[in-house]
Amino acid sequence: MAEIAIRNVEKTYGKTAVLHGITLDIADGEFLVILGPSGCGKSTLLRMIAGLEAITRGEIAIAGRVVNALEPRERGCAMVFQNYALYPHMTVAENIGYALKVAGLPKAERERRVAEIARIVGLEAFLARRPSELSGGQRQRVAMGRAMIREPKVFLFDEPLSNLDAKLRVQMRLEIRRLHQRLQATSVFVTHDQIEAMSLADRIVVMNQGRIEQAGPPRLLYTEPATRFVASFLGAPAMNLLPATIVAKDRARMADGTEIALDPGRFVVEIGQAVEIGIRPEDVLIVWPGSEGAHALEVEFTEDMGSSRLIHTRLGGMGFTVLQAAAQIEAEGTLAINLPEDALHLFDAATGLRLRRTGATVGVLASAAA
Amino acid sequence: MDRRASFDNLWLAGALVAPQILLVVVFFYWPTLQALYWAFSTQPPFGGTNQWVGWQNFQQIFTDAVYWNSVRVSIIFATLSTALSISMALLLALMIDRQLAGHKAYRFVYFWPYAIAAPAVGLAFRFIFAPDAGFVSAINQLAPNLWNPALKGWDAMILIVIANSWKMMAYNFIFFLAALQSIPRGLIEAAAMDGSGVLRRARDIQIPLLAPTLFFLLVINITESFVDSFGIVDITTGGGPARATDLMVFKIYSDGFKGLDYSMAAAQSIVLMLLVIGLTFVQFRYVEKRVHYA
């Protein structure tokens, strides 16, 4: 059992606060992805779990034991670094087996374990090579092997795929997921890539400016983002966000007078409240020109993405994108669209918080409000 | 990448390099040629032009026990002071690299000794190690006559080794610190995650990765201790007692300028020069072949 409990953890460098009271529980065997833009404190949090950064305030416990004062080696974590951090003067076998050597295992035992790990990560043919003689993907495997050989309770990944090319990244992503299913070790994976996060995670934690914005299963974060930030960060192409003011229970008006219809049953709003209306490009409906409630938009240009087509237009003076299945007719000139009321997200412009539905059951929003 | 600048105007190019060439010729090549001339000739005892004597000067020094003593003493000195200055510098650099409290202040202070001229270093250590009045005289209070570099050859040797190492340590320290700081932090952290403690990391990760710097410093330190130790010896021991610290470079000076035997001094200079050239050549070849990971 290796659950991780993070309680009110803060980190400051001098007077600069980097993390503001993070509380998070990671279940045993869970694959948790911490997602956020660079500088949001996600790597710092990971390094604090690993023991590479001191914890300014608060407490981290691994498997029920508070580890604040423990050295990295006493915490039972293994880490895969962004730049792999392979020892350049050692061979692949020595790199993988270093932890065992330090632990003082006999040579025969070490060699047996290294061979076994090399087989799992597919490096049997390269054991005698130096890291400088390997490709990026192979180095990544060595780093994984080095982490695995200690049979850790907890795996920590610090953006391990960001130095790989796009194709290899997809492949390694699958291998990491496969490995997790096989080892069932608690894993914490830090990334700024939302596709990586969506595809790997049992649960995603979105961080921004040293705070947790939202934590939950990937699907929930995508369909019910708790804040404007989560809404804009998850999803490619990104969600359209339109600033507007509530003018009636069922209508919002943008700065240039464009009006957007809202379902009064879904949101609690006040007249005069400044909001941002969000809609994902794939949720926008393309309709016949002149149909009821349709907005006529000028097409600026389109991007063909193979299976789909991304149409760039403007709505109420703001950039607005529409995702269209490639099979549909090519849009040119003007485009009539409809904003389905049940696909709209509404955020308070001042706080960035999602405006809750009335009566509807809402998922995990707690951490954003906390 | 070709980083050479090319000049169409050879006269301009010549004019630009002329001052440097002039300096090198006047202060390096001319004296070297002069030394070569002296080394193969001898001056008549009562003046007159030099006479060509071929290898005679060299035969004479190589059959001279006093000369072989100075070779032996020089090698001991070079080995001890290189070992001491490099190991001390490495230790200090590893400590500073850990960023313990006050490391910024220490980093400054450790480089100061190199800014002090060798004779000044010698003078300072002459006082520190004076058997009757220096700091070390406390030892003689406890055990009379245990320490006396004026009488005991090994004491004198220890004195000049410490003085020279103290100065070179500062130089080595800067190189080690720079090299340590160029080791990616991630490697140290990875080793820490692998369960390796501070000392183990130094041994398994940092020192192996310092190998290129280490070899470079070995060359520099050995060379320096052969050719640049004159100032310290002259001020502290004057080559004594009983030639126990009569380093090759000091013997050249005392034979030439005190004994006024220019030919013998010149021959010894040529030998020392070839020795240093050979040493540098061999070690750099070794460095380039063996110690690169990139």
Side-chain angles (χ1 to χ4, degrees), chain A residues 154-174:
Chain A
V154 175
F155 269 110
L156 305 173
F157 298 88
D158 189 5
E159 308 213 18
L161 305 180
S162 55
N163 284 358
L164 299 176
D165 62 53
K167 196 179 162 199
L168 208 52
R169 198 179 303 172
V170 175
Q171 191 189 336
M172 288 308 292
R173 204 166 73 202
L174 292 176

Side-chain angles (χ1 to χ4, degrees), chain A residues 239-263:
Chain A
M239 182 187 280
N240 295 299
L241 285 164
L242 306 166
T245 313
I246 303 290
V247 290
K249 279 207 146 182
D250 59 352
R251 253 175 319 141
R253 185 181 292 151
M254 295 180 68
D256 72 334
T258 307
E259 293 204 344
I260 296 167
L262 303 172
D263 178 352

Side-chain angles (χ1 to χ4, degrees), chain B residues 50-100:
Chain B
N50 280 17
Q51 288 171 359
W52 185 261
V53 292
W55 295 98
Q56 187 194 304
N57 291 328
F58 290 94
Q59 280 165 358
Q60 205 171 329
I61 58 170
F62 284 134
T63 51
D64 183 0
V66 175
Y67 182 72
W68 284 110
N69 171 63
S70 88
V71 172
R72 187 181 60 85
V73 167
S74 292
I75 290 172
I76 292 172
F77 174 75
T79 313
L80 290 181
S81 68
T82 300
L84 185 63
S85 65
I86 285 189
S87 53
M88 285 306 295
L90 183 58
L91 189 69
L92 293 178
L94 282 168
M95 306 273 245
I96 295 287
D97 188 54
R98 292 203 66 207
Q99 312 206 329
L100 303 173

Side-chain angles (χ1 to χ4, degrees), chain A residues 140-210:
Chain A
Q140 177 67 63
R141 283 165 211 268
V142 178
M144 302 266 295
R146 190 174 63 178
M148 281 162 61
I149 200 158
R150 300 177 53 214
E151 296 172 355
K153 294 179 288 182
V154 175
F155 269 110
L156 305 173
F157 298 88
D158 189 5
E159 308 213 18
L161 305 180
S162 55
N163 284 358
L164 299 176
D165 62 53
K167 196 179 162 199
L168 208 52
R169 198 179 303 172
V170 175
Q171 191 189 336
M172 288 308 292
R173 204 166 73 202
L174 292 176
E175 285 191 31
I176 288 177
R177 184 73 222 188
R178 212 168 276 142
L179 212 64
H180 175 70
Q181 264 164 5
R182 177 175 165 161
L183 300 173
Q184 291 297 328
T186 311
S187 302
V188 184
F189 188 106
V190 159
T191 182
H192 61 263
D193 182 326
Q194 47 116 358
I195 297 175
E196 244 168 67
M198 296 287 287
S199 63
L200 280 171
D202 292 330
R203 197 154 60 103
I204 296 180
V205 172
V206 178
M207 283 184 67
N208 184 32
Q209 296 184 342

Side-chain angles (χ1 to χ4, degrees), chain B:
Chain B
M1 192 171 61
D2 190 9
R3 294 176 62 187
R4 283 174 299 182
S6 57
F7 283 88
D8 294 332
N9 186 339
L10 281 178
W11 281 109
L12 176 64
L16 288 174
V17 296
Q20 186 62 30
I21 296 281
L22 196 70
L23 278 175
V24 173
V25 166
V26 170
F27 291 105
F28 293 93
Y29 292 125
W30 190 8
T32 307
L33 289 175
Q34 194 72 31
L36 268 173
Y37 173 67
W38 283 104
F40 288 100
S41 63
T42 188
Q43 205 179 20
F46 300 105
T49 48
N50 280 17
Q51 288 171 359
W52 185 261
V53 292
W55 295 98
Q56 187 194 304
N57 291 328
F58 290 94
Q59 280 165 358
Q60 205 171 329
I61 58 170
F62 284 134
T63 51
D64 183 0
V66 175
Y67 182 72
W68 284 110
N69 171 63
S70 88
V71 172
R72 187 181 60 85
V73 167
S74 292
I75 290 172
I76 292 172
F77 174 75
T79 313
L80 290 181
S81 68
T82 300
L84 185 63
S85 65
I86 285 189
S87 53
M88 285 306 295
L90 183 58
L91 189 69
L92 293 178
L94 282 168
M95 306 273 245
I96 295 287
D97 188 54
R98 292 203 66 207
Q99 312 206 329
L100 303 173
H103 71 277
K104 281 183 182 159
Y106 281 107
R107 197 174 54 188
F108 258 126
V109 173
Y110 288 159
F111 189 59
W112 283 354
Y114 195 66
I116 300 173
V121 175
L123 201 61
F125 276 91
R126 185 175 162 173
F127 282 119
I128 292 169
F129 284 114
D132 43 2
F135 295 149
V136 185
S137 61
I139 291 175
N140 284 344
Q141 285 278 329
L142 298 171
N145 230 9
L146 183 70
W147 172 262
N148 192 347
L151 289 176
K152 298 182 179 179
W154 275 107
D155 288 5
M157 175 60 84
I158 290 168
L159 197 165
I160 59 169
V161 164
I162 290 178
N164 191 56
S165 316
W166 182 76
K167 182 173 154 65
M168 283 309 291
M169 183 277 297
Y171 179 82
N172 298 342
F173 168 75
I174 288 294
F175 276 86
F176 276 134
L177 188 62
L180 278 173
Q181 289 181 343
S182 73
I183 296 176
R185 205 75 351 217
L187 288 185
I188 310 299
E189 290 173 348
M193 297 295 297
D194 273 346
S196 191
V198 174
L199 290 176
R200 188 82 199 238
R201 291 202 296 265
R203 199 187 82 191
D204 290 348
I205 312 292
Q206 289 170 309
I207 294 175
L209 292 176
L210 287 181
T213 310
L214 196 69
F215 274 87
F216 166 76
L217 287 178
L218 266 180
V219 175
I220 297 292
N221 277 261
I222 292 174
T223 313
E224 288 268 300
S225 56
F226 270 117
V227 300
D228 206 29
S229 45
F230 169 77
I232 288 173
V233 176
D234 188 42
I235 298 284
T236 52
T237 65
R243 296 191 181 278
T245 55
D246 192 20
L247 303 184
M248 286 160 84
V249 67
F250 188 77
K251 186 168 163 25
I252 291 169
Y253 158 79
S254 53
D255 283 3
F257 296 102
K258 290 196 171 153
L260 295 179
D261 190 348
Y262 294 144
S263 299
M264 294 301 283
Q268 290 176 42
S269 303
I270 299 298
V271 174
L272 185 59
M273 190 177 82
L274 291 177
L275 188 75
V276 170
I277 289 174
L279 205 69
T280 311
F281 183 73
V282 167
Q283 293 210 36
F284 272 110
R285 281 292 294 268
Y286 185 72
V287 169
E288 285 188 4
K289 273 199 183 136
R290 288 292 305 276
V291 215
H292 280 285
Y293 300 115

